[in-house]
Amino acid sequence: DAFTCTCYMPEVGNEPQKGEILSWAESSAVVYANSVLGARCNRNSGIIELFGSIAGCVPEFGLLTDEGRKATWVVEVRTSRKPEAQVLGSAIGMKVLEDVPYIRGLDQWLGTELNDEAKAYLKDMGAATGAVGLYHVANLTPEACELGEALITENAQTYVIDDAELARVKASYPCIWKDANAAPKLCFVGCPHLSLAQLEQWTDQVQEGLKA
């Protein structure tokens, strides 16, 4: 009864379980289901998603297989503070493209418990990774906790993300305003849609900002 790109939220009543096979097309939902929930889904086209929903099965390849879920990149997060989720996701996506990354060092900022705060961060990070359909976070995401570095392929490449690299990525974003000095009139928050905790946080911040 709901229409949302965050179709995996518990409030929607459609949260997949670890190992479940899905027929989804929404890119940020696919990467979240694969990575944070440990379900299995390829980045399907809308037509394959529709056929899968009708047939009740999908072609078995790619991220549905154990081999297809192994990481061909190791991403080393070596920042002095918690990275902005969207900037970190962009950096990872632009480097690994559609490959699977195994992310080390992020657990120092997120902890090792997959709680609501960590899930919200990973939701936003994953939505910014572009073509990435699955990532593993050491000591945090389900398969990384279960299998550890056995998920990393023998000839995996390494990408180090430090403060300077995040600054470089952020500075590379184009300015989309016709007048870079114009004052904004509207602000749109979301994409993917916010979690309940994020909605409450934004509401508090906006109200405090208006009072100030």
Side-chain angles (χ1 to χ4, degrees):
D1 297 326
F3 295 90
T4 172
C5 62
T6 53
C7 48
Y8 44 81
M9 287 290 192
E11 293 88 346
V12 181
N14 189 43
E15 188 174 33
Q17 301 301 305
K18 184 175 182 293
E20 271 195 73
I21 306 298
L22 311 179
S23 178
W24 285 7
E26 212 295 314
S27 57
S28 67
V30 168
V31 69
Y32 186 95
N34 276 317
S35 310
V36 181
L37 302 180
R40 297 195 171 201
C41 186
N42 285 309
R43 295 193 48 165
N44 296 318
S45 69
I47 296 298
I48 290 180
E49 177 192 26
L50 181 61
F51 286 168
S53 298
I54 294 171
C57 56
V58 289
E60 186 176 11
F61 71 99
L63 297 177
L64 301 190
T65 68
D66 291 343
E67 193 63 29
R69 298 178 74 81
K70 289 191 174 179
T72 54
W73 281 88
V74 174
V75 176
E76 301 277 3
V77 177
R78 301 177 185 172
T79 54
S80 62
R81 60 185 181 276
K82 184 178 179 180
E84 289 184 51
Q86 293 86 348
V87 180
L88 178 61
S90 293
I92 293 171
M94 285 190 283
K95 175 61 73 171
V96 311
L97 302 178
E98 75 279 3
D99 289 344
V100 177
Y102 186 94
I103 306 169
R104 291 183 184 139
L106 191 55
D107 55 324
Q108 69 174 309
W109 305 114
L110 301 184
T112 56
E113 181 187 351
L114 205 51
N115 53 29
D116 289 344
E117 185 178 353
K119 287 179 179 179
Y121 183 97
L122 295 176
K123 166 179 71 72
D124 294 340
M125 184 192 78
T129 56
V132 172
L134 164 66
Y135 59 81
H136 303 290
V137 179
N139 303 315
L140 186 60
T141 53
E143 285 163 281
C145 289
E146 180 183 346
L147 301 171
E149 300 201 351
L151 287 166
I152 303 172
T153 57
E154 186 176 346
N155 298 315
Q157 301 180 76
T158 299
Y159 174 40
V160 176
I161 299 179
D162 54 15
D163 294 341
E165 177 64 358
L166 284 182
R168 182 194 68 80
V169 170
K170 192 169 184 176
S172 72
Y173 291 173
C175 178
I176 61 174
W177 308 109
K178 293 178 182 178
D179 179 3
N181 298 314
K185 297 178 181 178
L186 295 171
C187 176
F188 296 91
V189 180
C191 191
H193 298 162
L194 303 181
S195 67
L196 179 58
Q198 287 177 316
L199 283 168
E200 293 171 347
Q201 181 183 16
W202 273 104
T203 301
D204 292 340
Q205 289 178 336
V206 169
Q207 288 181 329
E208 291 169 4
L210 289 172
K211 288 177 182 177

